[in-house]
Amino acid sequence: MPLASIQMTLSNKKQRSKSSELHLGRCLPLPEISVESETGKMYRASFVDREGRTVVIMRPAKQNTSSHEGQVRFLVYTLENAILSLPEDQEKMVWLIDFTGWTLANATPIKTARECANILQNHYPERLAIGILFNPPKVVKHFLDPKSIQKVNFVYLKNEESMKILHKYIDPEVLPVEFGGKNNVVYSHEEYSKLMVKDDIKMASFWASDTKTDHVNKVINEHSVPEVTQQSSLVAAKAS
């Protein structure tokens, strides 16, 4: 699937473009999903923030593939499933981006980094409640646009004051130890794979339901055209 199709994605649940082909079977074959998720470089956290919002964790240092399209597709796959899993009373999520261990040696190629930044900033901006950059290098600022940087917080593990910002949004009791919290939970590819299977079923159900809705709306609209035309004529007649 060309990247242009991915970029056509609309984040609103009711307005997603089917031409983006993001649902299971058209976006990523299961084996490719598994490969991209093996190291835990990006996943939906098992905990939520203080307001009950979904937390998506991204860890650039855990990069394990060289596929440009595979990485970009996995990003969209993760975000779309996170959106579909949001509570009914929530429309936004938290992005916790961990740069611990990140170096130029294991850095994502500039082309891929810019593409991912473009997708996050231009196709999902309304879905971001707050962004937390954990131990980020200064160069990261060059990838952020003015609007996005307003929602981003720079947090450093060894800086007590900045850690207070993180704890303001996420309770230390549920936050993993690696992020300065008290929760001993660690990423398990085996467990996350089970979650992805559930996500795939949910996504397939979403598209199936959406297709039925489109069909019903089409039928209703086709049968309502004559009636609308007639009413418009009556209004025009009264006006004259």
Side-chain angles (χ1 to χ4, degrees):
M1 180 181 67
L3 295 181
S5 295
I6 293 178
Q7 294 173 343
M8 293 174 65
T9 304
L10 297 176
S11 297
N12 187 294
K13 293 181 183 178
K14 297 181 180 179
Q15 296 180 344
R16 291 177 187 163
S17 169
K18 289 185 178 57
S19 61
S20 65
E21 299 182 344
L22 293 174
H23 50 299
L24 182 66
R26 295 189 183 183
C27 175
L28 279 170
L30 189 56
E32 188 173 349
I33 296 175
S34 182
V35 169
E36 293 290 343
S37 65
E38 280 181 354
T39 59
K41 64 184 178 186
M42 181 164 48
Y43 60 96
R44 191 166 79 251
S46 58
F47 57 89
V48 294
D49 78 341
R50 290 185 184 275
E51 295 187 26
R53 295 177 295 209
T54 295
V55 177
V56 173
I57 296 177
M58 305 176 194
R59 311 178 75 181
K62 297 290 184 178
Q63 185 56 258
N64 64 320
T65 71
S66 58
S67 171
H68 172 71
E69 289 201 359
Q71 291 174 36
V72 173
R73 290 174 183 174
F74 183 56
L75 169 64
V76 176
Y77 173 89
T78 303
L79 294 177
E80 287 294 315
N81 279 316
I83 291 172
L84 201 60
S85 298
L86 284 171
E88 288 297 323
D89 61 339
Q90 297 286 358
E91 294 184 351
K92 299 185 178 184
M93 67 185 85
V94 175
W95 297 342
L96 176 53
I97 307 177
D98 178 21
F99 287 92
T100 302
W102 182 89
T103 65
L104 290 176
N106 59 24
T108 299
I110 293 296
K111 176 184 177 181
T112 303
R114 289 190 181 281
E115 185 72 29
C116 290
N118 172 59
I119 289 175
L120 290 171
Q121 295 176 153
N122 298 322
H123 297 274
Y124 292 90
E126 75 282 4
R127 291 298 185 180
L128 176 60
I130 193 72
I132 299 171
L133 304 189
F134 192 75
N135 293 331
K138 295 181 179 180
V139 69
V140 171
K141 291 185 177 180
H142 297 296
F143 290 92
L144 300 174
D145 62 27
K147 292 183 179 180
S148 296
I149 204 168
Q150 293 177 3
K151 297 182 179 180
V152 169
N153 292 276
F154 290 77
V155 174
Y156 296 88
L157 182 61
K158 295 182 179 181
N159 186 311
E160 186 176 343
E161 287 303 311
S162 70
M163 285 300 294
K164 290 180 180 179
I165 297 176
L166 176 54
H167 295 161
K168 172 185 175 182
Y169 294 105
I170 302 177
D171 189 335
E173 294 296 328
V174 302
L175 187 67
V177 173
E178 57 195 317
F179 295 114
K182 300 179 181 179
N183 191 346
N184 289 314
V185 64
V186 293
Y187 177 79
S188 167
H189 179 55
E190 181 180 355
E191 290 302 314
Y192 196 66
S193 294
K194 296 177 182 178
L195 176 62
M196 287 194 294
V197 170
K198 294 180 180 179
D199 283 346
D200 292 340
I201 294 174
K202 188 184 299 183
M203 183 64 78
S205 176
F206 170 86
W207 284 108
S209 175
D210 205 42
T211 299
K212 292 178 181 179
T213 300
D214 287 348
H215 175 69
V216 171
N217 288 337
K218 180 179 180 181
V219 172
I220 293 176
N221 290 332
E222 288 177 347
H223 284 79
S224 64
V225 170
E227 183 178 352
V228 172
T229 302
Q230 183 177 7
Q231 289 177 342
S232 299
S233 299
L234 290 174
V235 171
K238 288 182 179 181
S240 61

mmCIF file of all heavy atoms in Angstrom, residues 23-64:
data_model
loop_
_atom_site.group_PDB
_atom_site.id
_atom_site.type_symbol
_atom_site.label_atom_id
_atom_site.label_comp_id
_atom_site.label_asym_id
_atom_site.label_seq_id
_atom_site.Cartn_x
_atom_site.Cartn_y
_atom_site.Cartn_z
ATOM 1 N N HIS A 23 -7.602 -1.212 7.673
ATOM 2 C CA HIS A 23 -8.090 -2.326 8.461
ATOM 3 C C HIS A 23 -7.304 -3.599 8.156
ATOM 4 O O HIS A 23 -6.613 -3.704 7.168
ATOM 5 C CB HIS A 23 -9.586 -2.539 8.234
ATOM 6 C CG HIS A 23 -9.995 -2.595 6.803
ATOM 7 N ND1 HIS A 23 -9.807 -1.545 5.924
ATOM 8 C CD2 HIS A 23 -10.589 -3.572 6.084
ATOM 9 C CE1 HIS A 23 -10.281 -1.881 4.741
ATOM 10 N NE2 HIS A 23 -10.746 -3.096 4.814
ATOM 11 N N LEU A 24 -7.437 -4.568 9.023
ATOM 12 C CA LEU A 24 -6.675 -5.804 8.921
ATOM 13 C C LEU A 24 -6.858 -6.471 7.564
ATOM 14 O O LEU A 24 -7.951 -6.562 7.041
ATOM 15 C CB LEU A 24 -7.124 -6.780 10.017
ATOM 16 C CG LEU A 24 -6.372 -8.106 10.067
ATOM 17 C CD1 LEU A 24 -4.925 -7.851 10.451
ATOM 18 C CD2 LEU A 24 -7.028 -9.042 11.051
ATOM 19 N N GLY A 25 -5.740 -6.953 6.996
ATOM 20 C CA GLY A 25 -5.800 -7.651 5.728
ATOM 21 C C GLY A 25 -5.472 -6.737 4.567
ATOM 22 O O GLY A 25 -5.114 -7.190 3.497
ATOM 23 N N ARG A 26 -5.587 -5.423 4.781
ATOM 24 C CA ARG A 26 -5.245 -4.493 3.715
ATOM 25 C C ARG A 26 -4.078 -3.607 4.108
ATOM 26 O O ARG A 26 -3.383 -3.077 3.272
ATOM 27 C CB ARG A 26 -6.449 -3.610 3.362
ATOM 28 C CG ARG A 26 -7.603 -4.399 2.776
ATOM 29 C CD ARG A 26 -8.663 -3.467 2.239
ATOM 30 N NE ARG A 26 -9.810 -4.187 1.741
ATOM 31 C CZ ARG A 26 -10.848 -3.610 1.162
ATOM 32 N NH1 ARG A 26 -10.882 -2.307 1.039
ATOM 33 N NH2 ARG A 26 -11.854 -4.323 0.734
ATOM 34 N N CYS A 27 -3.905 -3.410 5.391
ATOM 35 C CA CYS A 27 -2.800 -2.562 5.838
ATOM 36 C C CYS A 27 -1.549 -3.380 6.109
ATOM 37 O O CYS A 27 -0.510 -3.133 5.557
ATOM 38 C CB CYS A 27 -3.197 -1.798 7.090
ATOM 39 S SG CYS A 27 -1.859 -0.823 7.792
ATOM 40 N N LEU A 28 -1.654 -4.367 6.963
ATOM 41 C CA LEU A 28 -0.491 -5.148 7.353
ATOM 42 C C LEU A 28 -0.837 -6.621 7.507
ATOM 43 O O LEU A 28 -1.753 -6.962 8.240
ATOM 44 C CB LEU A 28 0.049 -4.655 8.692
ATOM 45 C CG LEU A 28 0.944 -3.421 8.692
ATOM 46 C CD1 LEU A 28 1.165 -2.972 10.123
ATOM 47 C CD2 LEU A 28 2.263 -3.706 8.033
ATOM 48 N N PRO A 29 -0.104 -7.504 6.828
ATOM 49 C CA PRO A 29 -0.293 -8.932 7.077
ATOM 50 C C PRO A 29 0.154 -9.204 8.506
ATOM 51 O O PRO A 29 1.089 -8.569 8.994
ATOM 52 C CB PRO A 29 0.655 -9.586 6.063
ATOM 53 C CG PRO A 29 0.919 -8.528 5.041
ATOM 54 C CD PRO A 29 0.895 -7.234 5.804
ATOM 55 N N LEU A 30 -0.458 -10.153 9.191
ATOM 56 C CA LEU A 30 -0.142 -10.441 10.578
ATOM 57 C C LEU A 30 1.346 -10.671 10.832
ATOM 58 O O LEU A 30 1.884 -10.171 11.811
ATOM 59 C CB LEU A 30 -0.960 -11.642 11.063
ATOM 60 C CG LEU A 30 -0.898 -11.934 12.563
ATOM 61 C CD1 LEU A 30 -1.321 -10.700 13.355
ATOM 62 C CD2 LEU A 30 -1.772 -13.116 12.914
ATOM 63 N N PRO A 31 2.068 -11.417 9.973
ATOM 64 C CA PRO A 31 3.502 -11.629 10.219
ATOM 65 C C PRO A 31 4.277 -10.309 10.283
ATOM 66 O O PRO A 31 5.184 -10.146 11.087
ATOM 67 C CB PRO A 31 3.939 -12.466 9.017
ATOM 68 C CG PRO A 31 2.697 -13.199 8.624
ATOM 69 C CD PRO A 31 1.599 -12.180 8.808
ATOM 70 N N GLU A 32 3.928 -9.357 9.429
ATOM 71 C CA GLU A 32 4.644 -8.081 9.414
ATOM 72 C C GLU A 32 4.356 -7.279 10.683
ATOM 73 O O GLU A 32 5.229 -6.611 11.223
ATOM 74 C CB GLU A 32 4.242 -7.260 8.185
ATOM 75 C CG GLU A 32 5.094 -6.006 8.014
ATOM 76 C CD GLU A 32 4.805 -5.287 6.724
ATOM 77 O OE1 GLU A 32 4.096 -5.854 5.861
ATOM 78 O OE2 GLU A 32 5.273 -4.140 6.575
ATOM 79 N N ILE A 33 3.120 -7.371 11.162
ATOM 80 C CA ILE A 33 2.773 -6.708 12.412
ATOM 81 C C ILE A 33 3.619 -7.291 13.539
ATOM 82 O O ILE A 33 4.161 -6.569 14.371
ATOM 83 C CB ILE A 33 1.283 -6.919 12.757
ATOM 84 C CG1 ILE A 33 0.395 -6.259 11.708
ATOM 85 C CG2 ILE A 33 0.963 -6.346 14.132
ATOM 86 C CD1 ILE A 33 -1.082 -6.527 11.930
ATOM 87 N N SER A 34 3.724 -8.603 13.558
ATOM 88 C CA SER A 34 4.463 -9.279 14.619
ATOM 89 C C SER A 34 5.924 -8.857 14.629
ATOM 90 O O SER A 34 6.501 -8.605 15.686
ATOM 91 C CB SER A 34 4.349 -10.796 14.430
ATOM 92 O OG SER A 34 5.011 -11.482 15.456
ATOM 93 N N VAL A 35 6.525 -8.759 13.451
ATOM 94 C CA VAL A 35 7.934 -8.372 13.355
ATOM 95 C C VAL A 35 8.142 -6.967 13.888
ATOM 96 O O VAL A 35 9.066 -6.710 14.666
ATOM 97 C CB VAL A 35 8.424 -8.452 11.893
ATOM 98 C CG1 VAL A 35 9.794 -7.790 11.762
ATOM 99 C CG2 VAL A 35 8.499 -9.894 11.442
ATOM 100 N N GLU A 36 7.294 -6.044 13.490
ATOM 101 C CA GLU A 36 7.443 -4.651 13.897
ATOM 102 C C GLU A 36 7.229 -4.458 15.403
ATOM 103 O O GLU A 36 7.730 -3.508 15.990
ATOM 104 C CB GLU A 36 6.466 -3.754 13.125
ATOM 105 C CG GLU A 36 6.747 -3.629 11.631
ATOM 106 C CD GLU A 36 8.004 -2.822 11.329
ATOM 107 O OE1 GLU A 36 8.484 -2.106 12.224
ATOM 108 O OE2 GLU A 36 8.507 -2.916 10.196
ATOM 109 N N SER A 37 6.478 -5.350 16.019
ATOM 110 C CA SER A 37 6.149 -5.170 17.437
ATOM 111 C C SER A 37 7.008 -6.003 18.382
ATOM 112 O O SER A 37 6.841 -5.944 19.598
ATOM 113 C CB SER A 37 4.670 -5.536 17.671
ATOM 114 O OG SER A 37 4.442 -6.911 17.412
ATOM 115 N N GLU A 38 7.941 -6.763 17.853
ATOM 116 C CA GLU A 38 8.724 -7.698 18.666
ATOM 117 C C GLU A 38 9.469 -7.054 19.836
ATOM 118 O O GLU A 38 9.506 -7.606 20.930
ATOM 119 C CB GLU A 38 9.729 -8.448 17.782
ATOM 120 C CG GLU A 38 9.106 -9.602 17.013
ATOM 121 C CD GLU A 38 10.144 -10.337 16.178
ATOM 122 O OE1 GLU A 38 11.301 -9.862 16.120
ATOM 123 O OE2 GLU A 38 9.802 -11.370 15.593
ATOM 124 N N THR A 39 10.077 -5.896 19.609
ATOM 125 C CA THR A 39 10.926 -5.289 20.640
ATOM 126 C C THR A 39 10.183 -4.323 21.553
ATOM 127 O O THR A 39 10.769 -3.796 22.499
ATOM 128 C CB THR A 39 12.102 -4.537 19.994
ATOM 129 O OG1 THR A 39 11.583 -3.527 19.118
ATOM 130 C CG2 THR A 39 12.977 -5.491 19.198
ATOM 131 N N GLY A 40 8.913 -4.064 21.259
ATOM 132 C CA GLY A 40 8.160 -3.120 22.085
ATOM 133 C C GLY A 40 8.504 -1.677 21.759
ATOM 134 O O GLY A 40 8.438 -0.807 22.624
ATOM 135 N N LYS A 41 8.855 -1.430 20.495
ATOM 136 C CA LYS A 41 9.233 -0.063 20.116
ATOM 137 C C LYS A 41 8.015 0.865 20.066
ATOM 138 O O LYS A 41 8.151 2.083 20.100
ATOM 139 C CB LYS A 41 9.938 -0.060 18.759
ATOM 140 C CG LYS A 41 9.075 -0.520 17.592
ATOM 141 C CD LYS A 41 9.897 -0.583 16.318
ATOM 142 C CE LYS A 41 9.080 -1.094 15.143
ATOM 143 N NZ LYS A 41 9.933 -1.276 13.927
ATOM 144 N N MET A 42 6.821 0.279 20.005
ATOM 145 C CA MET A 42 5.589 1.076 20.034
ATOM 146 C C MET A 42 4.434 0.162 20.424
ATOM 147 O O MET A 42 4.230 -0.894 19.842
ATOM 148 C CB MET A 42 5.322 1.711 18.665
ATOM 149 C CG MET A 42 4.082 2.573 18.605
ATOM 150 S SD MET A 42 4.074 3.641 17.134
ATOM 151 C CE MET A 42 4.499 2.470 15.830
ATOM 152 N N TYR A 43 3.679 0.589 21.441
ATOM 153 C CA TYR A 43 2.556 -0.234 21.876
ATOM 154 C C TYR A 43 1.601 0.569 22.753
ATOM 155 O O TYR A 43 1.936 1.638 23.253
ATOM 156 C CB TYR A 43 3.061 -1.456 22.656
ATOM 157 C CG TYR A 43 3.863 -1.142 23.902
ATOM 158 C CD1 TYR A 43 3.261 -1.121 25.163
ATOM 159 C CD2 TYR A 43 5.235 -0.874 23.819
ATOM 160 C CE1 TYR A 43 3.999 -0.846 26.316
ATOM 161 C CE2 TYR A 43 5.980 -0.590 24.965
ATOM 162 C CZ TYR A 43 5.366 -0.580 26.206
ATOM 163 O OH TYR A 43 6.087 -0.295 27.334
ATOM 164 N N ARG A 44 0.396 0.037 22.890
ATOM 165 C CA ARG A 44 -0.594 0.664 23.761
ATOM 166 C C ARG A 44 -0.351 0.163 25.180
ATOM 167 O O ARG A 44 -0.339 -1.040 25.418
ATOM 168 C CB ARG A 44 -2.007 0.316 23.297
ATOM 169 C CG ARG A 44 -3.075 1.131 23.991
ATOM 170 C CD ARG A 44 -4.417 1.037 23.289
ATOM 171 N NE ARG A 44 -5.134 -0.182 23.573
ATOM 172 C CZ ARG A 44 -5.323 -1.159 22.701
ATOM 173 N NH1 ARG A 44 -4.831 -1.089 21.495
ATOM 174 N NH2 ARG A 44 -6.017 -2.237 23.030
ATOM 175 N N ALA A 45 -0.143 1.084 26.099
ATOM 176 C CA ALA A 45 0.174 0.716 27.479
ATOM 177 C C ALA A 45 -0.990 0.015 28.167
ATOM 178 O O ALA A 45 -2.154 0.195 27.794
ATOM 179 C CB ALA A 45 0.577 1.963 28.270
ATOM 180 N N SER A 46 -0.661 -0.774 29.179
ATOM 181 C CA SER A 46 -1.691 -1.482 29.942
ATOM 182 C C SER A 46 -2.296 -0.575 31.014
ATOM 183 O O SER A 46 -3.230 -0.970 31.703
ATOM 184 C CB SER A 46 -1.079 -2.724 30.617
ATOM 185 O OG SER A 46 0.007 -2.351 31.467
ATOM 186 N N PHE A 47 -1.771 0.639 31.131
ATOM 187 C CA PHE A 47 -2.293 1.600 32.101
ATOM 188 C C PHE A 47 -2.794 2.849 31.370
ATOM 189 O O PHE A 47 -2.513 3.033 30.182
ATOM 190 C CB PHE A 47 -1.199 1.996 33.107
ATOM 191 C CG PHE A 47 0.039 2.566 32.461
ATOM 192 C CD1 PHE A 47 0.150 3.925 32.213
ATOM 193 C CD2 PHE A 47 1.097 1.734 32.098
ATOM 194 C CE1 PHE A 47 1.294 4.459 31.611
ATOM 195 C CE2 PHE A 47 2.240 2.250 31.498
ATOM 196 C CZ PHE A 47 2.330 3.608 31.258
ATOM 197 N N VAL A 48 -3.530 3.684 32.063
ATOM 198 C CA VAL A 48 -4.041 4.929 31.484
ATOM 199 C C VAL A 48 -3.551 6.105 32.327
ATOM 200 O O VAL A 48 -2.972 5.912 33.401
ATOM 201 C CB VAL A 48 -5.593 4.937 31.444
ATOM 202 C CG1 VAL A 48 -6.101 3.870 30.497
ATOM 203 C CG2 VAL A 48 -6.172 4.720 32.851
ATOM 204 N N ASP A 49 -3.769 7.321 31.846
ATOM 205 C CA ASP A 49 -3.331 8.482 32.620
ATOM 206 C C ASP A 49 -4.367 8.801 33.696
ATOM 207 O O ASP A 49 -5.347 8.069 33.867
ATOM 208 C CB ASP A 49 -3.065 9.675 31.704
ATOM 209 C CG ASP A 49 -4.332 10.383 31.244
ATOM 210 O OD1 ASP A 49 -5.429 9.782 31.309
ATOM 211 O OD2 ASP A 49 -4.246 11.546 30.823
ATOM 212 N N ARG A 50 -4.169 9.871 34.417
ATOM 213 C CA ARG A 50 -5.042 10.206 35.549
ATOM 214 C C ARG A 50 -6.482 10.512 35.111
ATOM 215 O O ARG A 50 -7.401 10.448 35.927
ATOM 216 C CB ARG A 50 -4.464 11.400 36.316
ATOM 217 C CG ARG A 50 -3.183 11.074 37.087
ATOM 218 C CD ARG A 50 -2.729 12.259 37.907
ATOM 219 N NE ARG A 50 -1.455 12.037 38.590
ATOM 220 C CZ ARG A 50 -1.324 11.440 39.776
ATOM 221 N NH1 ARG A 50 -2.404 11.011 40.414
ATOM 222 N NH2 ARG A 50 -0.130 11.296 40.330
ATOM 223 N N GLU A 51 -6.675 10.827 33.829
ATOM 224 C CA GLU A 51 -8.015 11.128 33.325
ATOM 225 C C GLU A 51 -8.627 9.955 32.576
ATOM 226 O O GLU A 51 -9.667 10.083 31.936
ATOM 227 C CB GLU A 51 -7.975 12.367 32.434
ATOM 228 C CG GLU A 51 -7.582 13.638 33.175
ATOM 229 C CD GLU A 51 -7.712 14.877 32.316
ATOM 230 O OE1 GLU A 51 -8.525 14.874 31.367
ATOM 231 O OE2 GLU A 51 -7.001 15.857 32.591
ATOM 232 N N GLY A 52 -7.967 8.812 32.653
ATOM 233 C CA GLY A 52 -8.501 7.612 32.016
ATOM 234 C C GLY A 52 -8.208 7.522 30.532
ATOM 235 O O GLY A 52 -8.802 6.697 29.830
ATOM 236 N N ARG A 53 -7.273 8.334 30.037
ATOM 237 C CA ARG A 53 -6.969 8.335 28.612
ATOM 238 C C ARG A 53 -5.940 7.258 28.255
ATOM 239 O O ARG A 53 -5.053 6.931 29.043
ATOM 240 C CB ARG A 53 -6.445 9.718 28.197
ATOM 241 C CG ARG A 53 -7.480 10.808 28.339
ATOM 242 C CD ARG A 53 -6.948 12.183 27.999
ATOM 243 N NE ARG A 53 -5.913 12.631 28.921
ATOM 244 C CZ ARG A 53 -5.679 13.910 29.198
ATOM 245 N NH1 ARG A 53 -6.419 14.865 28.623
ATOM 246 N NH2 ARG A 53 -4.709 14.253 30.032
ATOM 247 N N THR A 54 -6.075 6.726 27.056
ATOM 248 C CA THR A 54 -5.152 5.718 26.554
ATOM 249 C C THR A 54 -3.749 6.305 26.421
ATOM 250 O O THR A 54 -3.579 7.448 26.007
ATOM 251 C CB THR A 54 -5.619 5.222 25.171
ATOM 252 O OG1 THR A 54 -6.871 4.546 25.313
ATOM 253 C CG2 THR A 54 -4.608 4.258 24.562
ATOM 254 N N VAL A 55 -2.753 5.505 26.769
ATOM 255 C CA VAL A 55 -1.357 5.927 26.653
ATOM 256 C C VAL A 55 -0.663 5.060 25.607
ATOM 257 O O VAL A 55 -0.682 3.828 25.700
ATOM 258 C CB VAL A 55 -0.611 5.781 28.002
ATOM 259 C CG1 VAL A 55 0.863 6.151 27.833
ATOM 260 C CG2 VAL A 55 -1.263 6.660 29.063
ATOM 261 N N VAL A 56 -0.095 5.700 24.596
ATOM 262 C CA VAL A 56 0.670 4.982 23.575
ATOM 263 C C VAL A 56 2.150 5.247 23.835
ATOM 264 O O VAL A 56 2.579 6.402 23.921
ATOM 265 C CB VAL A 56 0.302 5.459 22.158
ATOM 266 C CG1 VAL A 56 1.235 4.821 21.123
ATOM 267 C CG2 VAL A 56 -1.144 5.085 21.832
ATOM 268 N N ILE A 57 2.916 4.181 24.006
ATOM 269 C CA ILE A 57 4.346 4.300 24.291
ATOM 270 C C ILE A 57 5.150 4.060 23.017
ATOM 271 O O ILE A 57 4.915 3.089 22.297
ATOM 272 C CB ILE A 57 4.774 3.294 25.372
ATOM 273 C CG1 ILE A 57 4.071 3.626 26.700
ATOM 274 C CG2 ILE A 57 6.293 3.314 25.553
ATOM 275 C CD1 ILE A 57 4.375 2.640 27.815
ATOM 276 N N MET A 58 6.079 4.962 22.734
ATOM 277 C CA MET A 58 6.960 4.841 21.573
ATOM 278 C C MET A 58 8.399 4.870 22.076
ATOM 279 O O MET A 58 8.758 5.730 22.879
ATOM 280 C CB MET A 58 6.718 5.982 20.584
ATOM 281 C CG MET A 58 5.271 6.095 20.134
ATOM 282 S SD MET A 58 5.011 7.528 19.058
ATOM 283 C CE MET A 58 3.197 7.620 19.078
ATOM 284 N N ARG A 59 9.229 3.945 21.570
ATOM 285 C CA ARG A 59 10.609 3.831 22.050
ATOM 286 C C ARG A 59 11.566 3.701 20.862
ATOM 287 O O ARG A 59 11.901 2.589 20.431
ATOM 288 C CB ARG A 59 10.731 2.634 22.987
ATOM 289 C CG ARG A 59 9.649 2.595 24.057
ATOM 290 C CD ARG A 59 9.722 1.395 24.946
ATOM 291 N NE ARG A 59 10.821 1.529 25.893
ATOM 292 C CZ ARG A 59 11.127 0.586 26.787
ATOM 293 N NH1 ARG A 59 10.441 -0.533 26.821
ATOM 294 N NH2 ARG A 59 12.118 0.773 27.624
ATOM 295 N N PRO A 60 12.002 4.824 20.318
ATOM 296 C CA PRO A 60 12.868 4.836 19.132
ATOM 297 C C PRO A 60 14.118 3.967 19.235
ATOM 298 O O PRO A 60 14.563 3.408 18.228
ATOM 299 C CB PRO A 60 13.247 6.323 19.001
ATOM 300 C CG PRO A 60 12.108 7.041 19.647
ATOM 301 C CD PRO A 60 11.701 6.173 20.800
ATOM 302 N N ALA A 61 14.673 3.828 20.424
ATOM 303 C CA ALA A 61 15.900 3.037 20.587
ATOM 304 C C ALA A 61 15.657 1.545 20.381
ATOM 305 O O ALA A 61 16.608 0.772 20.221
ATOM 306 C CB ALA A 61 16.497 3.272 21.976
ATOM 307 N N LYS A 62 14.403 1.133 20.379
ATOM 308 C CA LYS A 62 14.052 -0.279 20.217
ATOM 309 C C LYS A 62 13.805 -0.645 18.750
ATOM 310 O O LYS A 62 13.308 -1.738 18.455
ATOM 311 C CB LYS A 62 12.797 -0.602 21.034
ATOM 312 C CG LYS A 62 12.956 -0.417 22.540
ATOM 313 C CD LYS A 62 13.864 -1.447 23.148
ATOM 314 C CE LYS A 62 13.934 -1.315 24.659
ATOM 315 N NZ LYS A 62 14.795 -2.346 25.268
ATOM 316 N N GLN A 63 14.163 0.253 17.842
ATOM 317 C CA GLN A 63 13.942 -0.002 16.420
ATOM 318 C C GLN A 63 14.596 -1.315 16.001
ATOM 319 O O GLN A 63 15.746 -1.594 16.351
ATOM 320 C CB GLN A 63 14.516 1.142 15.590
ATOM 321 C CG GLN A 63 14.233 1.037 14.107
ATOM 322 C CD GLN A 63 12.758 0.925 13.794
ATOM 323 O OE1 GLN A 63 12.257 -0.165 13.500
ATOM 324 N NE2 GLN A 63 12.038 2.030 13.889
ATOM 325 N N ASN A 64 13.848 -2.138 15.249
ATOM 326 C CA ASN A 64 14.370 -3.455 14.893
ATOM 327 C C ASN A 64 14.214 -3.821 13.416
ATOM 328 O O ASN A 64 14.568 -4.929 13.016
ATOM 329 C CB ASN A 64 13.659 -4.527 15.737
ATOM 330 C CG ASN A 64 12.177 -4.598 15.435
ATOM 331 O OD1 ASN A 64 11.516 -3.576 15.249
ATOM 332 N ND2 ASN A 64 11.634 -5.806 15.374
#
